[in-house]
Amino acid sequence: MIRRTFLKTAALLPFTFPPVLHADGPRAKELRADIVIVGGGIGGCAAGLAAARSGHQVILTEETDWIGGQLTSQAVPPDEHPWIESFGATRLYRRFRKDVRDFYRQHYPLTAEARAIEDLNPGNGIVSRLCHEPRVSLAVLTELLASYVSSRRIILLTRHKPVEADVDGDRVRAVRMRDQESGRVIDLSANYFLDATELGDLLPLTKTEYVVGAESQQETGEPHAPTEARPADQQAFTYCFAIDYLDGEDHTIEKPTEYDFWQKYVPEMKPAWPGPLLSWQMSDPITLKERKVSFDPTGAVTEGLNLWRYRRIADRKNFKQGIYPGDICLVNWPQNDYWLGNLIDVTPEQAEQHLMRAKQLSLSLLYWMQTAAPRSDGKLGWKGLRLRDDIVGTADGLAKYPYIRESRRIKAEFTVLEQHVGTDARMKLTGHKREEVTAERFPDTVGVGSYRIDLHPSSDGTNYIDVSSLPFQIPLGSLLPQRVENLLACCKNIGVTHITNGCYRLHPVEWGIGEAAGALAAFCLQRKESPRHVRNDSKLLADFQEIFRKDGVELEWPKLTPR
C-alpha cells in the first residue's frame, strides 16, 4: 500500500475539526474510484450524475448531511433567467425542475387549480418560477442519484470534509477526508478530482493556483474592476432561514446576544448605504440610490416590493384549505447579508467568529421583525412570525450552511472577463448596438447560462455592482487550472473574475459547470486523453461537444434580448 505524504491547510471552514491524523499515525482507510468529486452541492451532484451515466465509478462527498448546496443546505430557491422554461439549461437540469413539480403533485395536497398549472410555482415567489422548499430539492436529488448509489456506481459520503491532499508534481494522487461525526479519516484516490466545494477548499490543499477577491483593472481591463486588486473584496455570505406567520400568536424568539449591536449597525459602504441595516431601507442594486421596500405577511400591502413574497417558498393558496396555516417565506435579503469579514484564507478562529456573528445577524433580523419593525398600520413588529427550524433541518432554525456567493477561483487556462459578457462592455468593444450585441462566442463552449452581473455588497465596503450582461457560454478552458493536470473546477471556482462571478454563480449555471466537469473527466478516461489536450485538439473537442449535445446540453444561444 502506498505511503502517502499529505499537504494540509489549517483554515478550511466554515467548520473546524480535531487535529488532522498524519501519515505517520494509524493507517487511514482507503477508497479508490475513477473520479472523486469533493462537494455535494449543485455542481457536485450534476458532475456525479454526468460521470456515472458514462459508466464510471464516482466517489461523491459532502460536508453537510444534505446534498444539494444552494438548493438545500443553504436553502436558496433557484435564481434563473427568464427563458429557463424553454431554453438555456441542460436536459438533466430541466428534468430536475420537472421532478420538483411532479414531487409536489404526487406528495402534496395541491388544489385542483394549482395541480393543473404546468409550470407550477409552489411558493409563487417573485425571484424564481420554481420557489420551493429545500427538502423537496433534497428528495429529488436523492432520487436522481438513487440507482447509481444502490449499484455503487456512486459512493456517497456525507458529513465528510477534505483536510489534506497527496500531490505529486502537477498531479493530485489522493485527498484525505475527515468524517465529522466519528473523526475518522479516509483517503480517496482517483484518476480525476473535481473541486465542487463551496469555498474552493481543494485548491489550497492541492497547491492549485487560485485568485481571491477583486482583481485590479490593470489585470483584467474590466470597466467595473477596482483600480487596485482587493483580495478582501468578497461578496457577503448569508445565513438564510424560513418563517411563517400565525396571526394572533406569539412566537418571539429569545433576544439574540448581539441584537443591540445589529439594531444600531449602519453599514459603511461606498457609495453610502442609506440607513441602518435592520430597516426597510436599502440601496437599489442598480442605481445605488435609496430604495424603500416593505414587509407584510398578511398580504395587506400590495404596492412596491413586499419582501414577504420575494422568496416565498410555500403559497398556502396552492394547497388545500387547512394544510398550511400560513405562507412560508425564505429570508435571504440584504438585511441579513454579513459584511464584517470573510471565510476564505483566514484563521479557523476568525472564520468561526464570522460564522457566529452572521448567525447572530440573521436571528437579530428575525427578532427585530417580531418586535420592532415598522408596519404599514403604524404598529411595531409581528409576534406571529414563527421560525421554521423543520424547513431547514437544524436546531437553531438557520440553514445548515451559509449561502456562499463567492469562492476561491482557479487561475485557469481561460478566464471569462466582463468584456466577454457585459452588455455595455461588449457594445464598446464591438461597436454594435444594444439590440445587436452578443456575448463572446467560445469555440470550446460546454454549456450556456444567463444572469445579470449581480454582486452583493462586499466585506471591504463596496456597495452593489449590478449591471446588464448577455446570455453567455461556459468555456471549457475556464474549468482547467493552468498547471495541475487532473483537477477540474466544478462550480463557482472556475476561471471567472470577481466581476463575472456575479453572473456565473447561480443555480442553473453551477449545474451546467458541474455537468460539464463530470462529462469531461469521463470522456478523458474513455479516450485516455488529458483535459488540456481535449481543449486544444479540434477533433477531440468536436467529439466531446457532439457527445455532450446528445446528452441534452445546449452549447450556444439563439438571438436574445440583453437583460
Side-chain angles (χ1 to χ4, degrees):
M1 192 173 292
I2 298 173
R3 186 173 181 83
R4 302 189 183 282
T5 303
F6 284 89
L7 306 170
K8 67 177 180 177
T9 294
L12 295 181
L13 287 154
F15 303 103
T16 55
F17 308 92
V20 171
L21 184 63
H22 290 280
D24 56 357
R27 190 179 301 280
K29 181 180 178 181
E30 294 191 14
L31 283 178
R32 178 168 180 82
D34 299 319
I35 300 166
V36 165
I37 303 168
V38 181
I42 296 174
C45 287
L49 290 165
R53 76 186 175 202
S54 297
H56 295 284
Q57 187 174 32
V58 176
I59 298 173
L60 174 62
T61 75
E62 164 54 27
E63 184 172 339
T64 73
D65 58 344
W66 282 10
I67 58 172
Q70 292 184 66
L71 290 164
T72 60
S73 60
Q74 298 173 42
V76 183
D79 285 289
E80 299 172 327
H81 57 74
W83 310 282
I84 194 67
E85 299 294 345
S86 58
F87 197 88
T90 73
R91 182 165 63 208
L92 189 57
Y93 184 74
R94 283 196 292 271
R95 177 182 170 184
F96 161 77
R97 299 180 83 254
K98 180 181 181 299
D99 287 355
V100 167
R101 287 167 171 153
D102 287 347
F103 192 91
Y104 275 94
R105 291 188 179 97
Q106 293 168 13
H107 301 288
Y108 282 69
L110 297 170
T111 64
E113 294 78 9
R115 189 175 298 278
I117 300 173
E118 183 178 357
D119 55 348
L120 172 68
N121 188 346
N124 286 326
I126 299 170
V127 76
S128 171
R129 299 184 184 190
L130 193 60
C131 283
H132 62 280
E133 298 176 42
R135 285 186 184 275
V136 175
S137 272
L138 177 63
V140 170
L141 290 170
T142 300
E143 287 183 351
L144 288 173
L145 291 170
S147 65
Y148 297 121
V149 172
S150 293
S151 64
R152 289 186 69 81
R153 182 74 59 80
I154 294 178
I155 297 174
L156 178 60
L157 303 175
T158 58
R159 299 287 292 150
H160 280 71
K161 182 174 177 64
V163 289
E164 299 181 65
D166 176 14
V167 179
D168 182 12
D170 295 339
R171 299 191 67 84
V172 182
R173 298 199 303 178
V175 173
R176 175 164 288 179
M177 310 294 298
R178 184 181 296 281
D179 184 327
Q180 297 182 80
E181 295 179 353
S182 70
R184 292 190 293 268
V185 296
I186 181 169
D187 295 343
L188 306 180
S189 57
N191 299 91
Y192 286 96
F193 294 84
L194 276 55
D195 186 349
T197 60
E198 298 296 330
L199 295 171
D201 290 348
L202 285 192
L203 305 184
L205 289 179
T206 59
K207 293 190 174 181
T208 301
E209 292 78 7
Y210 64 89
V211 180
V212 169
E215 299 91 340
S216 70
Q217 197 169 80
Q218 183 178 3
E219 291 176 271
T220 67
E222 294 173 305
H224 287 90
T227 304
E228 297 181 354
R230 298 206 297 250
D233 188 354
Q234 300 170 32
Q235 290 187 76
F237 66 90
T238 307
Y239 266 109
C240 303
F241 58 93
I243 50 177
D244 59 6
Y245 179 68
L246 285 72
D247 194 17
E249 298 185 14
D250 187 348
H251 293 278
T252 306
I253 63 172
E254 182 179 349
K255 181 180 177 181
T257 305
E258 288 198 354
Y259 177 72
D260 291 337
F261 170 84
W262 289 112
Q263 185 187 29
K264 299 174 183 176
Y265 172 69
V266 179
E268 295 182 6
M269 289 284 164
K270 294 181 181 178
W273 197 259
L277 183 59
L278 301 189
S279 72
W280 302 133
Q281 299 169 280
M282 54 181 279
S283 292
D284 183 282
I286 298 174
T287 68
L288 299 183
K289 296 179 180 179
E290 181 177 345
R291 179 191 191 187
K292 292 184 178 179
V293 296
S294 64
F295 177 82
D296 182 3
T298 70
V301 175
T302 58
E303 296 181 358
L305 176 60
N306 181 358
L307 290 176
W308 179 258
R309 291 186 56 226
Y310 192 58
R311 282 191 170 88
R312 185 174 56 190
I313 56 176
D315 182 352
R316 61 178 173 176
K317 294 177 183 176
N318 279 331
F319 305 90
K320 292 181 179 179
Q321 188 172 1
I323 298 298
Y324 280 72
D327 301 343
I328 301 175
C329 170
L330 194 284
V331 179
N332 171 26
W333 310 329
Q335 286 85 346
N336 61 325
D337 284 356
Y338 180 80
W339 297 326
L340 298 185
N342 300 316
L343 302 176
I344 296 175
D345 295 348
V346 296
T347 68
E349 293 76 19
Q350 289 171 325
E352 287 291 346
Q353 178 76 359
H354 292 317
L355 290 166
M356 181 277 293
R357 300 202 72 189
K359 288 188 172 187
Q360 280 289 304
L361 168 57
S362 287
L363 292 171
S364 294
L365 172 59
L366 174 58
Y367 185 77
W368 176 79
M369 289 193 294
Q370 291 172 325
T371 62
R375 299 169 39 151
S376 60
D377 60 7
K379 298 178 181 179
L380 296 179
W382 287 269
K383 293 182 179 180
L385 292 175
R386 178 173 60 170
L387 184 61
R388 292 294 300 270
D389 54 353
D390 55 315
I391 295 291
V392 295
T394 62
D396 63 10
L398 303 178
K400 291 175 178 286
Y401 199 95
Y403 175 34
I404 303 296
R405 296 181 176 88
E406 190 167 341
S407 169
R408 299 175 179 90
R409 307 181 299 276
I410 60 169
K411 289 188 175 181
E413 282 284 286
F414 182 85
T415 299
V416 181
L417 307 176
E418 184 180 356
Q419 297 92 308
H420 296 128
V421 298
T423 304
D424 292 341
R426 292 294 292 167
M427 289 170 60
K428 183 176 180 179
L429 187 67
T430 64
H432 292 158
K433 297 178 181 179
R434 186 177 180 87
E435 61 271 14
E436 298 172 342
V437 71
T438 63
E440 183 79 14
R441 291 186 173 92
F442 300 123
D444 62 341
T445 175
V446 290
V448 298
S450 182
Y451 205 77
R452 290 182 65 87
I453 294 174
D454 172 18
L455 298 175
H456 279 230
S458 73
S459 52
D460 81 336
T462 301
N463 210 325
Y464 281 104
I465 297 175
D466 191 315
V467 296
S468 173
S469 66
L470 298 152
F472 53 78
Q473 296 172 320
I474 303 167
L476 186 151
S478 68
L479 279 60
L480 310 183
Q482 292 176 354
R483 178 183 58 82
V484 180
E485 295 292 340
N486 66 332
L487 183 145
L488 300 175
C490 200
C491 51
K492 296 181 289 288
N493 53 1
I494 64 170
V496 290
T497 64
H498 172 70
I499 300 296
T500 54
N501 165 72
C503 59
Y504 275 78
R505 66 180 176 84
L506 282 308
H507 304 63
V509 181
E510 182 176 337
W511 186 293
I513 293 167
E515 195 169 342
L520 177 62
F523 181 84
C524 290
L525 286 167
Q526 291 163 348
R527 296 294 183 95
K528 296 182 172 55
E529 299 284 359
S530 71
R532 219 176 305 281
H533 191 200
V534 171
R535 178 175 184 250
N536 294 327
D537 184 292
S538 59
K539 175 64 167 60
L540 281 172
L541 177 61
D543 286 351
F544 174 64
Q545 289 173 323
E546 180 59 25
I547 291 171
F548 214 26
R549 285 182 196 274
K550 290 179 179 178
D551 284 333
V553 178
E554 295 154 350
L555 301 184
E556 58 276 315
W557 284 93
K559 178 66 176 177
L560 294 168
T561 303
R563 295 191 68 206

